[in-house]
Protein backbone atom coordinates (compact mmCIF):
# COMPACT_ATOMS: atom_id res chain seq x y z
CA UNK A 1 0.00 0.00 0.00
CA UNK A 2 1.27 3.39 -0.98
CA UNK A 3 0.94 6.17 1.52
CA UNK A 4 0.28 9.69 0.35
CA UNK A 5 2.35 12.41 1.94
CA UNK A 6 -0.62 13.61 3.95
CA UNK A 7 -1.39 10.13 5.30
CA UNK A 8 2.22 9.61 6.30
CA UNK A 9 2.30 12.93 8.09
CA UNK A 10 -0.89 12.26 10.05
CA UNK A 11 0.31 8.79 11.05
CA UNK A 12 3.58 10.22 12.29
CA UNK A 13 1.76 12.99 14.12
CA UNK A 14 -0.55 10.55 15.87
CA UNK A 15 2.33 8.35 17.00
CA UNK A 16 4.33 11.27 18.36
CA UNK A 17 1.35 12.69 20.24
CA UNK A 18 0.41 9.34 21.78
CA UNK A 19 3.96 8.63 22.87
CA UNK A 20 4.18 11.88 24.84
CA UNK A 21 1.00 11.44 26.84
CA UNK A 22 0.66 9.58 30.12
CA UNK A 23 -1.71 6.62 29.96
CA UNK A 24 -5.35 7.53 30.31
CA UNK A 25 -4.93 11.02 28.92
CA UNK A 26 -6.75 12.12 25.82
CA UNK A 27 -4.89 11.67 22.56
CA UNK A 28 -5.73 15.22 21.56
CA UNK A 29 -5.15 18.41 23.39
CA UNK A 30 -2.76 19.90 25.85
CA UNK A 31 -3.04 19.61 29.64
CA UNK A 32 -3.04 22.91 31.52
CA UNK A 33 -2.49 22.88 35.27
CA UNK A 34 -4.29 25.17 37.68
CA UNK A 35 -3.08 24.97 41.27
CA UNK A 36 -5.43 25.34 44.22
CA UNK A 37 -3.46 27.30 46.81
CA UNK A 38 -3.82 28.87 50.24
CA UNK A 39 -1.40 31.62 49.24
CA UNK A 40 -0.54 33.25 45.96
CA UNK A 41 3.11 32.45 45.10
CA UNK A 42 3.99 36.06 44.17
CA UNK A 43 1.33 38.34 45.60
CA UNK A 44 -0.14 38.87 49.04
CA UNK A 45 -3.42 37.20 48.08
CA UNK A 46 -4.75 34.17 49.90
CA UNK A 47 -7.07 31.42 48.62
CA UNK A 48 -6.37 31.44 44.92
CA UNK A 49 -6.46 29.43 41.74
CA UNK A 50 -3.06 29.83 40.08
CA UNK A 51 -3.05 30.91 37.36
CA UNK A 52 -6.55 32.38 37.61
CA UNK A 53 -6.86 32.85 33.83
CA UNK A 54 -5.93 30.14 31.34
CA UNK A 55 -6.11 30.35 27.56
CA UNK A 56 -6.61 26.98 25.91
CA UNK A 57 -7.94 25.31 22.77
CA UNK A 58 -11.06 23.16 22.36
CA UNK A 59 -10.29 19.58 23.43
CA UNK A 60 -7.62 20.65 25.92
CA UNK A 61 -7.64 19.44 29.50
CA UNK A 62 -7.66 21.61 32.61
CA UNK A 63 -6.08 19.80 35.55
CA UNK A 64 -6.93 21.30 38.93
CA UNK A 65 -4.14 20.36 41.30
CA UNK A 66 -4.92 20.13 45.00
CA UNK A 67 -1.62 21.55 46.23
CA UNK A 68 -3.14 22.72 49.53
CA UNK A 69 -6.08 20.99 51.18
CA UNK A 70 -9.51 22.54 51.61
CA UNK A 71 -10.32 23.47 48.01
CA UNK A 72 -12.32 22.29 45.04
CA UNK A 73 -13.38 23.65 41.63
CA UNK A 74 -17.00 24.16 40.59
CA UNK A 75 -18.31 25.80 37.42
CA UNK A 76 -20.79 28.68 37.75
CA UNK A 77 -24.12 27.75 36.14
CA UNK A 78 -24.33 31.17 34.50
CA UNK A 79 -20.71 31.31 33.32
CA UNK A 80 -20.54 28.57 30.69
CA UNK A 81 -20.63 28.57 26.89
CA UNK A 82 -23.92 27.44 25.43
CA UNK A 83 -24.17 23.65 25.48
CA UNK A 84 -21.08 23.19 27.64
CA UNK A 85 -21.28 20.85 30.62
CA UNK A 86 -20.47 22.11 34.08
CA UNK A 87 -18.43 20.30 36.70
CA UNK A 88 -17.94 19.99 40.43
CA UNK A 89 -14.80 18.42 41.80
CA UNK A 90 -14.37 16.67 45.14
CA UNK A 91 -12.64 18.47 47.98
CA UNK A 92 -8.89 17.89 48.36
CA UNK A 93 -8.64 15.95 45.08
CA UNK A 94 -6.97 16.62 41.78
CA UNK A 95 -9.54 16.89 39.02
CA UNK A 96 -9.51 17.06 35.25
CA UNK A 97 -12.06 18.56 32.90
CA UNK A 98 -11.86 18.48 29.10
CA UNK A 99 -13.20 21.71 27.61
CA UNK A 100 -14.76 20.97 24.24
CA UNK A 101 -16.86 24.09 23.58
CA UNK A 102 -15.33 27.38 22.55
CA UNK A 103 -16.06 30.24 24.91
CA UNK A 104 -15.48 31.48 28.45
CA UNK A 105 -15.91 29.32 31.57
CA UNK A 106 -16.07 30.74 35.10
CA UNK A 107 -15.53 28.59 38.18
CA UNK A 108 -15.07 28.92 41.93
CA UNK A 109 -13.94 27.05 45.02
CA UNK A 110 -16.96 26.17 47.14
CA UNK A 111 -15.54 26.93 50.61
CA UNK A 112 -13.83 30.16 49.43
CA UNK A 113 -16.25 31.56 46.87
CA UNK A 114 -17.13 34.47 49.13
CA UNK A 115 -13.40 35.14 49.61
CA UNK A 116 -13.05 35.46 45.87
CA UNK A 117 -11.37 32.14 45.04
CA UNK A 118 -12.49 32.11 41.41
CA UNK A 119 -11.01 31.54 37.97
CA UNK A 120 -11.57 31.90 34.25
CA UNK A 121 -10.89 29.55 31.34
CA UNK A 122 -10.86 31.00 27.83
CA UNK A 123 -11.29 28.33 25.16
CA UNK A 124 -10.42 29.27 21.59
CA UNK A 125 -12.25 32.39 20.45
CA UNK A 126 -14.16 33.20 23.64
CA UNK A 127 -16.07 36.20 22.29
CA UNK A 128 -19.40 34.33 21.93
CA UNK A 129 -20.23 34.35 25.65
CA UNK A 130 -17.37 36.26 27.31
CA UNK A 131 -19.29 39.51 27.87
CA UNK A 132 -22.27 37.63 29.35
CA UNK A 133 -20.08 36.45 32.23
CA UNK A 134 -20.03 40.02 33.48
CA UNK A 135 -23.76 39.82 34.12
CA UNK A 136 -23.50 36.74 36.32
CA UNK A 137 -25.05 36.92 39.75
CA UNK A 138 -22.28 37.56 42.29
CA UNK A 139 -23.19 38.08 45.93
CA UNK A 140 -20.03 38.55 47.93
CA UNK A 141 -18.04 41.82 47.68
CA UNK A 142 -14.68 40.02 47.62
CA UNK A 143 -15.96 37.67 44.89
CA UNK A 144 -17.04 40.66 42.79
CA UNK A 145 -13.72 42.38 43.36
CA UNK A 146 -11.71 39.37 42.18
CA UNK A 147 -13.90 39.02 39.09
CA UNK A 148 -13.43 42.69 38.24
CA UNK A 149 -9.68 42.15 38.42
CA UNK A 150 -9.91 39.02 36.26
CA UNK A 151 -12.14 40.75 33.68
CA UNK A 152 -9.75 43.71 33.48
CA UNK A 153 -6.95 41.34 32.49
CA UNK A 154 -9.13 39.08 30.31
CA UNK A 155 -10.51 42.05 28.35
CA UNK A 156 -6.98 42.50 26.95
CA UNK A 157 -6.84 38.86 25.85
CA UNK A 158 -10.35 38.54 24.42
CA UNK A 159 -10.35 42.02 22.91
CA UNK A 160 -6.94 41.40 21.40
CA UNK A 161 -8.04 38.25 19.59
CA UNK A 162 -11.19 39.81 18.12
CU1 LIG B 1 -10.63 27.23 48.17
Amino acid sequence: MKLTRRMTMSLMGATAATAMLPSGARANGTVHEVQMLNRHPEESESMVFYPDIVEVQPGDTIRFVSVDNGHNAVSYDDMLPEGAEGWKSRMNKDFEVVVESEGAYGYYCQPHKALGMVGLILVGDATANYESLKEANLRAPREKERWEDIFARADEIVGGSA
Side-chain angles (χ1 to χ4, degrees), residues 70-71 109 111-112 117:
H71 308 288
C109 164
H112 305 117
M117 185 167 170

Side-chain angles (χ1 to χ4, degrees), residues 21-95:
L21 290 167
S23 62
R26 295 272 182 131
N28 297 314
T30 306
V31 178
H32 306 264
E33 284 196 356
V34 174
Q35 300 183 343
M36 301 188 276
L37 301 173
N38 291 348
R39 278 182 201 294
H40 193 288
E42 291 122 31
E43 290 157 39
S44 61
E45 302 276 342
S46 55
M47 308 306 174
V48 292
F49 289 104
Y50 180 77
D52 59 359
I53 302 176
V54 287
E55 290 177 73
V56 311
Q57 293 305 313
D60 282 0
T61 298
I62 312 299
R63 178 186 292 152
F64 294 99
V65 183
S66 180
V67 177
D68 296 320
N69 274 344
H71 308 288
N72 71 350
V74 190
S75 55
Y76 283 86
D77 290 336
D78 51 0
M79 288 198 191
L80 290 172
E82 192 156 331
E85 262 182 58
W87 70 86
K88 179 180 174 182
S89 81
R90 291 170 62 200
M91 292 288 296
N92 312 324
K93 297 282 180 196
D94 291 357
F95 181 78

Side-chain angles (χ1 to χ4, degrees), residues 101-128:
S101 304
E102 256 192 340
Y105 298 66
Y107 61 89
Y108 60 90
C109 164
Q110 223 166 1
H112 305 117
K113 190 184 188 212
L115 296 178
M117 185 167 170
V118 299
L120 175 68
I121 304 165
L122 299 169
V123 182
D125 176 2
T127 50

